[in-house]
Amino acid sequence: MNDKINLVQQQLQKIRRQIDQHNYHYYVLDDPVVSDAQYDKLFRELQQIERDYPQLIIPESPTQRVGASPLTAFSQITHVVPMLSLGNAFEDTEVEAFDRRVCEGLAVDNVEYAVEPKFDGLAVSLCYENGIFKTGATRGDGNTGEDITLNLRTIKSIPLHLAGNNIPSLLEVRGEVLMLKADFNLLNQRQRDKCEKIFANPRNAAAGSLRQLDPAVTATRNLAFFAYGIGRVNINTDAEEISMDKHSDVMAYLMSLHFPVAKERKVVTGSQALLAYYQEIGSLRDDLPYDIDGVVYKVNLLSQQEKLGFVSRAPRFAIAHKFPAQEAMTKVLDIDVQVGRTGALTPVARLDSVFVGGVTLTNATLHNADEIKRKDVRIGDTVIVHRAGDVIPEVVSVVLAQRPAQTKSFIMPTNCPVCGAKAVRLAGEAVSRCTGGLFCPAQQKQAIIHFVSRRAMDIEGLGDKLVEQLVDNAIVRTPADLYKLGISALTGLERLAEKSAANILAAIEKSKQTTLARFIYALGIRNVGETTAKGLALYYGSLDRLVAADTENLQLVPDIGPIVAQSIVDFFAESHNREVIEQMRLSGVCWQEHNGQPLPITVETAVSGKIFVLTGTLHTMSREDAKAKIEGQGGKVTNSVSKKTNYVVVGTDPGSKYDKALDLGITILDEDGLQGLLQ
Ligand code: IVH
């Protein structure tokens, strides 16, 4: 029996070592060596054996990270070696002064420093006895912290059992617990979905998660740990020689024990190298997976550290060189609503100017109505604003304790603040949009650029730059103004020769003869793309009938649901849009209409309901023409071949779609074959 138990014991040890190793590769090295499925299999195997032999479960088993019952309060832990803080430097001159003090204190000309990122998380201390994680504590006041062992055990990058041959009899590791930016975003998304508290930044999220009395909650929070030093260590005398003369040796030793350490650490000499490191990490800051609030410079030789000693509560041998804060507190003076190029209404907080992230901010986005409501930002509030790198500055949260009396909730306007058209918010969308697409000054350029584009009115030569010039010079305000242009207006523009101007006017003239589908598409109605425009043209046959349609009627058109229908109704409900259309018709923009009742699109053709894929170059018609003809007769053209495809039309030099069609046994047509199907 004992033999059997011994065998199981050995097997357990082997699996636990393997799992520890996989955890190390996954959570510390970020370089997994087995698939998730293989890992899960191994983990389940361990769980099964432990279920069969519960007497063999040990606290440092990988299965034992979570499982303890919630606490009622944290107990206190006294730090044998106090956890001190660091002096701060903000300016280069302060760093130079620090280096001078260090050199003078040591009576040397230059000093070697270990340099590292300064993690923006929470300091913790982890105690290991004979390689087993025993207790973990917060920094607290530096002398006594809270016992958060159970929560720390849930952090997968913290080893419960040290690896390697140099296991110390006692080890106290110091480091920082934080939440990676990606995990923070996921957590807030999850919290938002559950209508629960949103965290202002990864640091607060990490703090909130670490202070949970129920370790099961902490376990769901994906916290990370990075070691930056040792509080106490007793290395076994029989262990092989470990060099521990420098801080960089200490870090290498921690790495050998499988603790995560910052990849970005370095050893440099002299103050100019410190400043260069600050710049280097500063430029990486936004791309790092975690928040940092500066860099830390530490005299590398431990004997020199000892010689320099401490002043009050901070070491003389180290300093934190801080980055400009990315968050600051300020007051909301007003809330404006801006209208973007696509008509989206964005509320923006006008701020009492504040220095944050290295620049002075005077405004910050509030995103949309839901975000304002969720954060309940009001005019007069004191708020926390955030600015990082290229990211748009935003209001993170309100400091409710400082809210003045008699503030009112902000209500999004129901009309566009730029043109006065109705602003609507479609189901499923977060933003309200101005419906004055054709005449709203905020949307002019975008609307005209779309209107003249190849698939819309196809006005050749009228590029984006030219449209911008026409709008900026107030020559054109709406697409209807294009049809009123004379040669002198164009030649008056920068870098436009008479010949080109004449060509553009000719292209504008030519565009007047169009199709109803192109015209509908050119209007730029939200959610109405080319295919929808074609469907509408086919169904209604006349613009007037389309303008008169209500949402119910619109939904009789194939593929049009309530959201698209509402966009169309909103667009035509705006009288200014109708006016612009009327002006264009008066200028001669026209198309063929079919009168009477809507075209019965249920008419069966050889093509109706069939799915086509086009590949290779067609010669008797362009691909677009082929597509239009197929769709005009009730067929559909898609981009990829699948089992649902009915026909693949093959021109010269077909692509892989042809091979796939052969593979799947789909009917292949050449151009003649397609013409034969089309009526
Ligand atoms: S060394 C004597 N290294 O900064 C203190 N601290 O202001 C030695 N911190 O509470 C600390 N990253 O939580 C050190 N690479 C790093 C650090 C770091 C972040 C925090 C630490 C400490 C605070 C000191």
Side-chain angles (χ1 to χ4, degrees):
M1 186 62 196
N2 253 352
D3 283 356
K4 168 90 181 146
I5 291 280
N6 275 342
L7 226 76
V8 176
Q9 188 88 279
Q10 276 170 24
Q11 194 191 0
L12 276 174
Q13 192 179 14
K14 189 170 148 226
I15 300 183
R16 285 172 185 151
R17 286 275 151 87
Q18 280 175 333
I19 293 178
D20 282 347
Q21 193 67 17
H22 293 326
N23 274 345
Y24 171 63
H25 275 273
Y26 189 93
Y27 292 103
V28 181
L29 301 180
D30 201 10
D31 182 22
V33 288
V34 289
S35 69
D36 288 0
Q38 284 168 303
Y39 178 89
D40 290 345
K41 186 163 169 269
L42 204 59
F43 200 88
R44 278 197 301 271
E45 201 180 322
L46 174 61
Q47 283 176 317
Q48 187 55 52
I49 304 175
E50 290 186 347
R51 259 197 298 274
D52 294 342
Y53 298 89
Q55 73 275 28
L56 299 183
I57 297 178
I58 49 171
E60 63 272 24
S61 168
T63 58
Q64 304 302 301
R65 285 194 177 268
V66 207
S69 7
L71 301 173
T72 46
F74 295 117
S75 50
Q76 303 275 302
I77 283 191
T78 303
H79 303 300
V80 179
V81 178
M83 293 181 77
L84 304 180
S85 59
L86 290 168
N88 287 331
F90 291 93
E91 305 296 331
D92 291 1
T93 49
E94 295 173 84
V95 173
E96 284 158 354
F98 162 74
D99 178 54
R100 257 196 315 277
R101 280 197 307 276
V102 166
C103 287
E104 277 164 19
L106 297 171
V108 292
D109 289 338
N110 52 46
V111 170
E112 186 177 271
Y113 293 99
V115 294
E116 322 172 336
K118 183 172 189 304
F119 303 104
D120 196 6
L122 296 108
V124 296
S125 125
L126 312 174
C127 277
Y128 290 81
E129 289 170 21
N130 296 318
I132 309 291
F133 177 53
K134 290 288 176 188
T135 54
T138 60
R139 176 174 180 271
D141 64 4
N143 294 318
T144 350
E146 282 175 326
D147 180 348
I148 51 163
T149 311
L150 297 179
N151 290 342
L152 290 169
R153 289 176 64 88
T154 70
I155 302 178
K156 306 265 197 4
S157 56
I158 294 183
L160 295 180
H161 181 230
L162 297 183
N165 303 322
N166 298 323
I167 305 296
S169 55
L170 175 82
L171 174 71
E172 187 194 336
V173 177
R174 302 258 167 108
E176 200 93 343
V177 168
L178 44 84
M179 191 177 281
L180 300 186
K181 292 175 193 170
D183 288 322
F184 165 73
N185 290 332
L186 285 175
L187 170 63
N188 262 357
Q189 194 51 54
R190 235 167 48 207
Q191 296 286 101
R192 204 167 287 143
D193 293 345
K194 291 192 290 181
C195 291
E196 284 182 15
K197 180 187 155 84
I198 305 288
F199 296 98
N201 52 44
R203 188 182 186 285
N204 287 5
S209 307
L210 211 49
R211 253 184 243 117
Q212 293 288 334
L213 288 167
D214 184 357
V217 176
T218 313
T220 65
R221 295 289 173 83
N222 271 345
L223 294 171
F225 171 78
F226 286 90
Y228 54 64
I230 282 181
R232 288 175 298 156
V233 63
N234 276 343
I235 306 222
N236 293 336
T237 44
D238 56 352
E240 63 187 75
E241 189 74 13
I242 305 166
S243 142
M244 281 279 214
D245 297 335
K246 298 179 172 188
H247 178 75
S248 49
D249 298 335
V250 170
M251 297 304 282
Y253 177 56
L254 287 173
M255 257 179 94
S256 77
L257 297 175
H258 288 184
F259 284 99
V261 296
K263 286 196 194 79
E264 301 77 14
R265 36 184 236 297
K266 268 189 178 177
V267 173
V268 302
T269 302
S271 63
Q272 293 317 301
L274 297 181
L275 297 177
Y277 180 72
Y278 178 81
Q279 292 299 333
E280 181 189 329
I281 298 294
S283 64
L284 286 180
R285 185 180 187 188
D286 292 329
D287 299 325
L288 290 177
Y290 40 71
D291 274 350
I292 58 173
D293 55 349
V295 290
V296 184
Y297 310 137
K298 302 172 182 175
V299 170
N300 201 19
L301 258 180
L302 300 187
S303 57
Q304 290 186 334
Q305 287 194 1
E306 225 166 284
K307 191 162 175 200
L308 288 161
F310 298 84
V311 53
S312 70
R313 305 281 297 157
R316 277 203 197 87
F317 56 80
I319 197 163
H321 190 180
K322 303 282 280 279
F323 290 134
Q326 290 185 318
E327 281 184 4
M329 245 197 243
T330 187
K331 248 204 170 106
V332 176
L333 303 178
D334 203 353
I335 298 178
D336 284 354
V337 176
Q338 289 179 346
V339 186
R341 285 156 50 88
T342 59
L345 268 55
T346 307
V348 175
R350 300 281 168 230
L351 305 171
D352 199 358
S353 61
V354 59
F355 191 72
V356 48
V359 300
T360 303
L361 283 191
T362 49
N363 47 52
T365 184
L366 291 161
H367 298 292
N368 54 52
D370 284 351
E371 284 292 293
I372 295 202
K373 194 166 161 210
R374 189 174 63 71
K375 294 174 185 161
D376 189 18
V377 180
R378 303 179 183 192
I379 297 169
D381 268 342
T382 296
V383 290
I384 294 173
V385 289
H386 178 98
R387 181 198 173 270
D390 297 336
V391 186
I392 306 167
E394 63 166 359
V395 170
V396 181
S397 57
V398 173
V399 184
L400 279 179
Q402 295 192 32
R403 170 168 285 169
Q406 285 162 349
T407 56
K408 283 196 285 273
S409 298
F410 179 77
I411 298 170
M412 279 292 276
T414 49
N415 287 77
C416 170
V418 174
C419 73
K422 216 170 133 208
V424 296
R425 183 173 168 190
L426 295 175
E429 285 209 6
V431 294
S432 307
R433 285 177 197 276
C434 162
T435 54
L438 282 188
F439 70 98
C440 176
Q443 300 175 66
Q444 277 167 344
K445 288 180 186 169
Q446 186 83 351
I448 296 167
I449 287 170
H450 172 76
F451 185 82
V452 304
S453 65
R454 200 164 56 81
R455 288 164 177 277
M457 300 302 276
D458 193 18
I459 303 181
E460 222 177 301
L462 204 48
D464 298 4
K465 287 269 160 346
L466 198 55
V467 171
E468 279 178 21
Q469 279 194 60
L470 288 168
V471 174
D472 290 342
N473 290 302
I475 299 170
V476 168
R477 286 191 186 82
T478 74
D481 294 340
L482 293 172
Y483 295 100
K484 298 172 193 157
L485 279 177
I487 191 96
S488 57
L490 286 177
T491 48
L493 295 175
E494 229 179 284
R495 275 180 296 188
L496 195 67
E498 195 147 333
K499 177 89 174 67
S500 318
N503 285 344
I504 292 169
L505 283 186
I508 293 176
E509 190 57 31
K510 187 173 155 221
S511 76
K512 286 182 180 173
Q513 302 285 332
T514 188
T515 64
L516 178 56
R518 272 184 183 271
F519 187 75
I520 295 170
Y521 174 61
L523 295 176
I525 304 168
R526 180 131 191 97
N527 297 317
V528 177
E530 225 182 335
T531 312
T532 308
K534 281 177 189 160
L536 290 166
L538 197 62
Y539 190 85
Y540 288 104
S542 98
L543 187 69
D544 292 341
R545 273 202 296 273
L546 170 62
V547 172
D550 61 15
T551 49
E552 255 171 46
N553 190 262
L554 280 160
Q555 287 178 67
L556 298 174
V557 182
D559 295 333
I560 291 195
I563 294 179
V564 182
Q566 191 60 52
S567 297
I568 298 168
V569 166
D570 289 339
F571 181 87
F572 290 118
E574 185 50 59
S575 63
H576 292 84
N577 287 339
R578 296 201 306 272
E579 258 167 46
V580 174
I581 293 170
E582 195 48 37
Q583 284 175 32
M584 287 194 269
R585 292 176 98 169
L586 289 173
S587 299
V589 175
C590 62
W591 51 82
Q592 194 99 55
E593 299 205 332
H594 45 83
N595 42 28
Q597 292 307 302
L599 257 197
I601 40 180
T602 45
V603 163
E604 278 296 318
T605 67
V607 169
S608 55
K610 298 287 190 286
I611 299 175
F612 287 74
V613 172
L614 310 176
T615 177
T617 314
L618 304 181
H619 297 282
T620 56
M621 59 186 135
S622 69
R623 275 227 212 163
E624 263 166 43
D625 284 347
K627 187 169 181 238
K629 283 187 178 152
I630 294 167
E631 288 175 352
Q633 294 185 24
K636 205 171 160 188
V637 177
T638 65
N639 277 327
S640 55
V641 178
S642 75
K643 275 189 274 176
K644 288 193 190 147
T645 311
N646 298 99
Y647 297 107
V648 174
V649 180
V650 178
T652 44
D653 295 328
S656 60
K657 293 174 189 171
Y658 180 45
D659 301 329
K660 184 142 187 220
L662 289 175
D663 260 5
L664 295 175
I666 289 161
T667 310
I668 312 274
L669 295 176
D670 59 10
E671 283 186 64
D672 284 348
L674 174 64
Q675 294 285 16
L677 280 187
L678 294 167
Q679 291 167 341

